[in-house]
Amino acid sequence: MDLLTQSRNMRWIAVMDHASAAIFTELVRNFEGRLLSLGSHMSSSGNNASLPMRHMWTTASPVYSAGGLLASLLTQNQHDFSIVENFLEQAEKDSAMSDSSSAEFSSFRLAEQPATHLYCAGVSPLEASQRIGWKTSENWQPVLSRGDKSSIDQDKTATDAAIEYPRFDNWIEATGYAVVATALGMGIQQASCSSRAFVHRSNQRNLNHQGLSEKHFVSFVIDV
């Protein structure tokens, strides 16, 4: 608490285990800090895990979203993963917001809930929504028509060519980088929505996931 008191008008980025996170959350609540992002991150070992890496974020708004950046980083390796983000406030769409996903993903919007977005790679929208526990629906609609997507992909290809993301063999380091980079203002692939998810399944059917150990941790981004 003393450290929080001495850190007025600062942004905190913290990573810790679940037990410590429960205590830390209470301290921040009593201190009246502003929680911008709370993430839960886990991995499962073994080849039978359907999604060996799972990330779930509750975020103040898409402005503080780290999901798009992390998805771009994790697709550099071939592990299967899911990233689910829920936004407490839906930001108004402006020039800084983009509904396009990274090149590896196809983007969809739920017909009955347009503010729910799903990005799929190597998996259908129906299966992806089942894997992350979302209500099963067949009413997923492409966010962009083929013609619109072609023009946006051309612009995005030029942008991506100018951006070189670091490569991480360790998914924990990639997660930490995404959290820190977003907290410092490096937001990419933001969208005007209330919730969104990235689901990636590698096309390498015999991929060995044994290298993943059982890891669980929590990330925070807080203004105090």
Side-chain angles (χ1 to χ4, degrees):
M1 182 62 73
D2 290 340
L3 187 57
L4 287 172
T5 303
Q6 298 169 13
S7 304
R8 284 289 187 181
N9 301 316
M10 294 181 65
R11 177 161 294 176
W12 275 48
I13 304 168
V15 175
M16 61 192 70
D17 59 45
H18 282 267
S20 300
I23 299 173
F24 186 71
T25 301
E26 289 301 317
L27 289 175
V28 172
R29 181 181 292 113
N30 293 333
F31 190 73
E32 298 182 351
R34 185 188 178 203
L35 181 62
L36 302 179
S37 174
L38 171 61
S40 177
H41 317 279
M42 62 193 70
S43 66
S44 301
S45 60
N47 291 329
N48 294 326
S50 61
L51 290 171
M53 284 184 286
R54 293 175 178 265
H55 305 266
M56 182 172 291
W57 264 289
T58 299
T59 306
S61 79
V63 174
Y64 305 105
S65 164
L69 176 55
L70 181 59
S72 294
L73 296 174
L74 292 180
T75 52
Q76 295 179 94
N77 61 43
Q78 293 299 316
H79 289 304
D80 301 344
F81 64 85
S82 68
I83 301 171
V84 178
E85 298 180 292
N86 295 298
F87 307 116
L88 301 180
E89 296 180 2
Q90 183 178 342
E92 295 183 4
K93 188 170 183 178
D94 56 28
S95 59
M97 291 291 173
S98 172
D99 284 330
S100 62
S101 64
S102 60
E104 294 83 357
F105 293 88
S106 298
S107 52
F108 301 87
R109 180 181 290 118
L110 193 58
E112 57 267 31
Q113 294 178 321
T116 299
H117 295 185
L118 180 62
Y119 303 87
C120 304
V123 61
S124 69
L126 179 60
E127 183 180 353
S129 59
Q130 291 173 336
R131 283 174 176 250
I132 60 178
W134 279 5
K135 181 179 179 180
T136 302
S137 173
E138 296 183 358
N139 296 325
W140 291 103
Q141 301 176 344
V143 171
L144 301 170
S145 67
R146 185 177 299 273
D148 292 338
K149 191 175 192 307
S150 176
S151 62
I152 288 179
D153 281 347
Q154 292 177 4
D155 293 339
K156 200 179 76 60
T157 299
T159 300
D160 288 349
I163 301 176
E164 293 186 7
Y165 300 116
R167 297 188 66 89
F168 297 96
D169 294 328
N170 187 318
W171 73 271
I172 297 176
E173 293 179 354
T175 303
Y177 176 88
V179 172
V180 172
T182 304
L184 297 179
M186 184 182 167
I188 70 165
Q189 298 166 2
Q190 298 174 357
S192 179
C193 58
S194 60
S195 60
R196 71 172 179 171
F198 295 83
V199 180
H200 178 273
R201 184 172 64 189
S202 171
N203 57 10
Q204 296 185 19
R205 299 304 179 192
N206 298 320
L207 186 65
N208 181 8
H209 293 306
Q210 295 290 350
L212 288 176
S213 58
E214 300 282 347
K215 296 291 185 181
H216 305 266
F217 63 94
V218 179
S219 66
F220 293 89
V221 177
I222 301 169
D223 279 352
V224 296

